[in-house]
Amino acid sequence: MAAPPTKDQVLSLLAAANNHGDVSVKTTSLKQAKDLLLSIDPSLAAELFPYLLDLQSSHECLVRKLLIQIIEEIGFRAAEHSPTLISSLLTLLRDGDVTVVKQSIVSGINLFCSCFEEMILQFQQRGKVERWLEEIWMWMLKFKEAVFEIALEGGSIGVKLLALKFLEIFVLLFTSDISYPEKSATEGVSQAVNISWLVDSHPVLDPTALMTEANRTLGILFKLLQCAGNLPGCLTITVVNW
């Protein structure tokens, strides 16, 4: 049986990802480090997260983009240690490279939806929401505000399209859908999960406040349509389709 990976092995790979002169070596080392982080005890992995997040300042955009993908993949596997990782999405959302920003939005969308679903499941199955998940949700709300700003400001069309996609998903998540009756915890949460699954007694999620925010977001999309003449054609088409 192979010996379990050690802290030094992970640190060596992260150092190579940060300092090696060859980009391919950097990315390969980072992928190997990710595999080891997923295989070791979560508490030990958490000790190495600060060294992983040092890669936020890597000069290579491919490394920073890969870092975001790794943060998404690790996701909630590290449980109470996950907020440290997920909070870094806010930093990478303001990266100087468009591809990094786009990856941050894509991964942030996935994590936002996963966090929402997990909070519903935890409350259905356990009658409470773990503190670490509440903390992740707070970071997700900050992420939401930052993406909303991107959607309404100037900049890369590709980035704005993804930001608008997040607005669409936010509206769909937090608009009640009467076609989906209340589900029991034993059925789990489907991909169509939305605010209709919530109960008023949820300790973190306020259905009324979230639906109000969804209505406000829908109003933003309508305002974008009203000034369609000032928008690039692809943005107008995208908003109309949504």
Side-chain angles (χ1 to χ4, degrees):
M1 180 181 295
T6 66
K7 181 177 180 179
D8 287 342
Q9 286 176 303
V10 180
L11 287 174
S12 177
L13 290 168
L14 291 176
N18 204 12
N19 302 319
H20 202 281
D22 189 312
V23 176
S24 63
V25 173
K26 285 176 176 285
T27 55
T28 299
S29 298
L30 184 51
K31 290 176 183 178
Q32 291 174 346
K34 179 258 296 184
D35 291 338
L36 294 185
L37 285 170
L38 290 172
S39 69
I40 62 179
D41 183 86
S43 61
L44 177 57
E47 293 179 17
L48 299 168
F49 287 168
Y51 301 97
L52 177 66
L53 293 180
D54 281 345
L55 296 173
Q56 290 178 110
S57 58
S58 171
H59 297 303
E60 301 292 344
C61 62
L62 285 176
V63 172
R64 301 195 303 277
K65 181 181 178 182
L66 180 56
L67 172 62
I68 298 169
Q69 294 171 331
I70 290 172
I71 290 172
E72 179 186 351
E73 187 170 346
I74 291 176
F76 305 147
R77 297 190 191 190
E80 64 267 26
H81 305 294
S82 294
T84 303
L85 289 179
I86 293 175
S87 65
S88 66
L89 286 178
L90 280 173
T91 300
L92 294 162
L93 196 58
R94 293 298 181 181
D95 195 273
D97 185 89
V98 169
T99 61
V100 174
V101 176
K102 290 168 71 173
Q103 184 62 56
S104 186
I105 296 176
V106 170
S107 293
I109 288 173
N110 294 334
L111 288 167
F112 188 94
C113 295
S114 295
C115 186
F116 177 61
E117 292 184 10
E118 181 64 22
M119 283 196 294
I120 292 176
L121 276 178
Q122 280 197 6
F123 187 59
Q124 283 182 336
Q125 297 173 347
R126 308 177 194 173
K128 66 176 184 178
V129 176
E130 298 291 341
R131 178 61 187 166
W132 63 266
L133 190 58
E134 287 189 47
E135 188 175 346
I136 288 178
W137 182 244
M138 294 301 103
W139 282 111
M140 289 286 89
L141 292 178
K142 293 178 182 179
F143 176 85
K144 181 262 295 184
E145 292 297 331
V147 175
F148 274 34
E149 290 180 9
I150 290 174
L152 300 177
E153 65 187 21
S156 162
I157 299 300
V159 169
K160 286 178 68 68
L161 285 172
L162 285 174
L164 288 171
K165 179 65 177 177
F166 181 77
L167 266 66
E168 178 203 14
I169 290 173
F170 187 86
V171 171
L172 292 175
L173 280 177
F174 301 118
T175 300
S176 181
D177 186 350
I178 60 174
S179 66
Y180 282 87
E182 183 178 355
K183 304 292 192 298
S184 68
T186 57
E187 292 177 280
V189 176
S190 72
Q191 290 183 344
V193 65
N194 65 18
I195 199 74
S196 303
W197 292 67
L198 276 179
V199 293
D200 292 334
S201 60
H202 195 283
V204 179
L205 301 171
D206 181 344
T208 301
L210 290 169
M211 286 190 285
T212 299
E213 183 71 7
N215 286 333
R216 185 182 74 84
T217 304
L218 189 59
I220 293 174
L221 294 174
F222 281 130
K223 287 181 180 179
L224 287 174
L225 281 181
Q226 291 172 354
C227 59
N230 298 323
L231 294 175
C234 60
L235 288 180
T236 302
I237 294 171
T238 299
V239 175
V240 169
N241 286 339
W242 290 338

